[in-house]
Structure formats: C-alpha cells, structure tokens
Amino acid sequence: MTTLQHLIHGEACDGGSRRAPVFNPSTGEAIADVQLADAATVAQAVAAAQAAFPAWRDTPPAKRTQVLFRFKQLLEQHEAEIVPLISREHGKTLEDAAGELKRGIENAAQLQGEQALVLVEGGGEAG
C-alpha cells in the first residue's frame, strides 16, 4: 500500500512512525497510509517555510502576480488530473474534491488581484 509522505522544501520526506489510513469515500476501502508528522517534522516544515519567506517577501508585486497567474492557469489546465488526486488523498467524493479545487482557484485569483492592487497603489513597481 502507498504511504503518503510529507513534502518539505520540495522534497518528499518521512515524518514520523505514526500512520493513519486514507479511505476511498465511495468504497470505504483503505487506499493508502498517510504519515502523521511528529514534532521534529513539523519543526522542519516550519523552518523551511521561514527560510523561504524572505525571498517571496522581497519579490516585486509584478513578479508575484505573474507567479500566481501561472499557478491558477496550471490548476485550471490540470483539473481532470487534480480532482481524482484530491479525492483519493483526502478521502473526499469527486464532487467535494472538485469544489475544493474550485475554491483553491478562486483563492489564487483573489491573491493575484490583491497583488495587482499592491502594484497599482505602490506606483507600478517593476518586476
């Protein structure tokens, strides 16, 4: 059976000895195990996020807007692939998974709009 790992700093990693089953919501069948992060894994993830933040913070708004636009495009282009993964890995029905992806796309669009507003209000900082 597949064991879902943690993704920290772009790399899959183990994260503790405890695991929990992931069930297919349609059949009730256990389809994978998910690792339950231990304190060290959580600390590693937090440290990676803290280390990555300054570069994102210092990225000009125009560049952030481009990144968010591309992210939104990729989510939309790969919807047919992503929805079954959400369903499978999060134990959601396909309908719930599609709704979750739609909310994610809407969030990306909102963030993109907020970055564009920062760009306009900030006097058009180049990226």
Side-chain angles (χ1 to χ4, degrees):
M1 184 176 306
T2 300
T3 298
L4 305 175
Q5 294 181 293
H6 301 280
L7 186 64
I8 300 174
H9 197 61
E11 296 181 17
C13 62
D14 291 328
S17 59
R18 294 183 23 215
R19 292 179 175 24
V22 176
F23 295 97
N24 180 321
S26 301
T27 65
E29 172 191 8
I31 57 171
D33 284 327
V34 62
Q35 292 183 340
L36 302 177
D38 56 21
T41 304
V42 172
Q44 182 183 4
V46 169
Q50 288 174 329
F53 177 70
W56 180 251
R57 178 194 59 213
D58 296 339
T59 300
K63 178 64 176 171
R64 281 187 265 165
T65 299
Q66 292 170 357
V67 170
L68 291 167
F69 179 76
R70 182 67 180 136
F71 177 63
K72 180 179 165 291
Q73 278 185 318
L74 289 169
L75 291 175
E76 291 168 338
Q77 289 171 1
H78 295 279
E79 179 180 356
E81 300 161 61
I82 296 170
V83 167
L85 291 173
I86 293 171
S87 173
R88 196 171 154 80
E89 293 183 7
H90 294 273
K92 295 179 177 286
T93 64
L94 289 174
E95 184 177 279
D96 286 345
E100 186 166 323
L101 179 60
K102 182 174 172 51
R103 285 186 294 281
I105 291 169
E106 290 169 354
N107 287 339
Q110 175 152 359
L111 288 170
Q112 179 186 350
E114 290 174 5
Q115 289 303 312
L117 184 60
V118 166
L119 181 62
V120 169
E121 289 180 349
E125 180 182 339

